[in-house]
Amino acid sequence: KYMTNASLFNFADLADLPQNLQEALETQTTDNARRYADIVKAGAAQGFKSLNIRQIEAVAHRAAKLGELGFIAGSEIPTTATVRAYLNAAVDLKLIGKPTRNSYGADASVVVEGDSDEEPAAPVATASEVDVLAGI
């Protein structure tokens, strides 16, 4: 099976990896899920009922810069897809809730159905729409 760069970095699905590596990554994912859940909980303490992924990433960048909220000072923040995977893992672990498709909240009892908060894909152009010589 051909893997794209994106699938090479998919840490949400570990089924294709050896068991010992799966366990190590699951522990890392759980630790990161807790760290990102702490951002959502800290936001709730500051009066934010829910936060979207960009707001969470902004807090993560600031926390990493300052070494706050369990982040190591100067550490890099992962991609949005990885942050989303950590947040969804935190929801699965019942650490936080997901009041809408696009937000996360401290109330773990509130979870909207469907965990995909990705942007809708652009419509795929058909060959006849792309082929400038079509119909000639």
Side-chain angles (χ1 to χ4, degrees):
K1 179 184 165 194
Y2 177 75
M3 296 189 86
T4 64
N5 280 346
S7 61
L8 291 173
F9 291 92
N10 178 359
F11 301 112
D13 179 7
L14 307 175
D16 61 319
L17 300 173
Q19 189 64 37
N20 62 337
L21 186 53
Q22 283 184 35
E23 290 168 5
L25 282 166
E26 284 167 357
T27 302
Q28 181 184 19
T29 297
T30 300
D31 291 346
N32 282 307
R34 286 191 178 98
R35 186 171 295 124
Y36 281 87
D38 286 346
I39 290 175
V40 174
K41 291 174 183 178
Q46 295 296 316
F48 291 91
K49 188 172 179 172
S50 67
L51 295 168
N52 67 39
I53 191 138
R54 299 295 182 203
Q55 292 170 317
I56 293 166
E57 287 177 308
V59 172
H61 276 281
R62 289 174 176 161
K65 189 186 293 187
L66 302 170
E68 300 284 331
L69 294 176
F71 286 85
I72 297 167
S75 61
E76 293 289 318
I77 301 304
T79 67
T80 298
T82 301
V83 170
R84 183 178 288 113
Y86 293 152
L87 288 164
N88 288 332
V91 171
D92 292 343
L93 293 167
K94 306 213 181 316
L95 300 173
I96 58 174
K98 191 166 184 180
T100 71
R101 287 181 62 237
N102 297 313
S103 67
Y104 299 86
D107 184 349
S109 69
V110 180
V111 179
V112 71
E113 288 302 312
D115 65 354
S116 176
D117 57 358
E118 295 179 18
E119 296 296 316
V124 177
T126 62
S128 63
E129 291 172 328
V130 175
D131 186 357
V132 294
L133 299 177
I136 293 178

Tab-separated table of all heavy atoms in Angstrom, residues 2-3 17 20-21 31 39 47 54 67 74 95 104 115 117 135:
chain	number	residue	atom	x	y	z
A	2	TYR	N	0.614	2.134	-0.920
A	2	TYR	CA	1.377	3.379	-1.025
A	2	TYR	C	0.951	4.325	0.081
A	2	TYR	O	-0.227	4.531	0.322
A	2	TYR	CB	1.135	4.018	-2.399
A	2	TYR	CG	1.822	5.346	-2.561
A	2	TYR	CD1	3.191	5.410	-2.768
A	2	TYR	CD2	1.108	6.528	-2.474
A	2	TYR	CE1	3.825	6.614	-2.900
A	2	TYR	CE2	1.732	7.746	-2.605
A	2	TYR	CZ	3.097	7.787	-2.819
A	2	TYR	OH	3.730	8.999	-2.944
A	3	MET	N	1.927	4.909	0.777
A	3	MET	CA	1.613	5.856	1.846
A	3	MET	C	2.033	7.255	1.419
A	3	MET	O	3.121	7.456	0.912
A	3	MET	CB	2.341	5.479	3.140
A	3	MET	CG	1.912	4.151	3.716
A	3	MET	SD	2.606	3.871	5.346
A	3	MET	CE	1.389	4.680	6.364
A	17	LEU	N	1.622	-0.611	13.048
A	17	LEU	CA	2.927	-0.577	13.726
A	17	LEU	C	3.101	-1.762	14.681
A	17	LEU	O	2.119	-2.319	15.163
A	17	LEU	CB	3.057	0.731	14.518
A	17	LEU	CG	2.970	2.007	13.680
A	17	LEU	CD1	2.932	3.223	14.578
A	17	LEU	CD2	4.128	2.085	12.705
A	20	ASN	N	5.016	-2.974	20.452
A	20	ASN	CA	5.796	-2.174	21.414
A	20	ASN	C	5.813	-0.692	21.030
A	20	ASN	O	5.747	0.179	21.897
A	20	ASN	CB	7.214	-2.723	21.576
A	20	ASN	CG	8.015	-2.691	20.280
A	20	ASN	OD1	7.452	-2.673	19.183
A	20	ASN	ND2	9.329	-2.689	20.405
A	21	LEU	N	5.841	-0.409	19.733
A	21	LEU	CA	5.819	0.977	19.271
A	21	LEU	C	4.419	1.576	19.445
A	21	LEU	O	4.286	2.732	19.836
A	21	LEU	CB	6.277	1.052	17.813
A	21	LEU	CG	6.452	2.438	17.215
A	21	LEU	CD1	7.362	3.313	18.082
A	21	LEU	CD2	7.027	2.335	15.818
A	31	ASP	N	-0.493	11.199	27.042
A	31	ASP	CA	0.153	12.323	27.736
A	31	ASP	C	-0.162	13.641	27.035
A	31	ASP	O	-0.472	14.643	27.687
A	31	ASP	CB	1.671	12.126	27.804
A	31	ASP	CG	2.081	10.982	28.722
A	31	ASP	OD1	1.228	10.511	29.513
A	31	ASP	OD2	3.245	10.561	28.648
A	39	ILE	N	-5.247	22.677	28.500
A	39	ILE	CA	-5.440	23.994	27.875
A	39	ILE	C	-6.932	24.340	27.884
A	39	ILE	O	-7.317	25.445	28.248
A	39	ILE	CB	-4.892	24.034	26.433
A	39	ILE	CG1	-3.361	23.985	26.448
A	39	ILE	CG2	-5.389	25.279	25.686
A	39	ILE	CD1	-2.721	23.896	25.066
A	47	GLY	N	-12.914	31.644	31.890
A	47	GLY	CA	-14.215	32.092	31.424
A	47	GLY	C	-14.586	31.686	30.010
A	47	GLY	O	-15.625	32.099	29.503
A	54	ARG	N	-7.800	26.624	16.617
A	54	ARG	CA	-6.829	27.712	16.432
A	54	ARG	C	-6.537	28.412	17.757
A	54	ARG	O	-5.387	28.771	18.035
A	54	ARG	CB	-7.323	28.721	15.391
A	54	ARG	CG	-7.528	28.134	14.017
A	54	ARG	CD	-6.241	27.676	13.397
A	54	ARG	NE	-6.482	27.151	12.052
A	54	ARG	CZ	-5.691	26.315	11.437
A	54	ARG	NH1	-4.595	25.895	12.019
A	54	ARG	NH2	-5.972	25.900	10.235
A	67	GLY	N	7.025	27.784	28.811
A	67	GLY	CA	7.185	26.599	29.646
A	67	GLY	C	6.053	26.446	30.653
A	67	GLY	O	6.254	25.997	31.774
A	74	GLY	N	10.291	26.366	24.923
A	74	GLY	CA	10.963	26.300	23.630
A	74	GLY	C	10.560	25.115	22.782
A	74	GLY	O	11.085	24.938	21.680
A	95	LEU	N	-11.724	13.419	29.111
A	95	LEU	CA	-11.034	14.494	29.833
A	95	LEU	C	-11.692	15.831	29.552
A	95	LEU	O	-11.699	16.716	30.404
A	95	LEU	CB	-9.560	14.551	29.414
A	95	LEU	CG	-8.731	13.296	29.668
A	95	LEU	CD1	-7.351	13.446	29.052
A	95	LEU	CD2	-8.647	13.005	31.150
A	104	TYR	N	-13.965	22.637	21.587
A	104	TYR	CA	-13.717	21.735	22.707
A	104	TYR	C	-14.027	22.492	23.988
A	104	TYR	O	-13.714	23.677	24.098
A	104	TYR	CB	-12.259	21.266	22.698
A	104	TYR	CG	-11.923	20.508	21.437
A	104	TYR	CD1	-11.513	21.177	20.289
A	104	TYR	CD2	-12.068	19.135	21.369
A	104	TYR	CE1	-11.240	20.496	19.108
A	104	TYR	CE2	-11.807	18.441	20.190
A	104	TYR	CZ	-11.383	19.122	19.072
A	104	TYR	OH	-11.128	18.446	17.913
A	115	ASP	N	-16.892	13.138	15.150
A	115	ASP	CA	-15.716	13.813	15.689
A	115	ASP	C	-14.885	14.509	14.625
A	115	ASP	O	-13.812	14.989	14.900
A	115	ASP	CB	-14.839	12.837	16.476
A	115	ASP	CG	-14.241	11.747	15.610
A	115	ASP	OD1	-14.601	11.670	14.419
A	115	ASP	OD2	-13.419	10.975	16.108
A	117	ASP	N	-13.882	17.499	12.650
A	117	ASP	CA	-14.067	18.948	12.574
A	117	ASP	C	-13.171	19.530	11.489
A	117	ASP	O	-12.815	20.679	11.515
A	117	ASP	CB	-13.800	19.618	13.927
A	117	ASP	CG	-12.422	19.331	14.486
A	117	ASP	OD1	-11.659	18.577	13.866
A	117	ASP	OD2	-12.092	19.855	15.548
A	135	GLY	N	-13.782	18.121	-25.881
A	135	GLY	CA	-14.859	18.611	-26.737
A	135	GLY	C	-14.389	19.201	-28.048
A	135	GLY	O	-15.193	19.697	-28.819
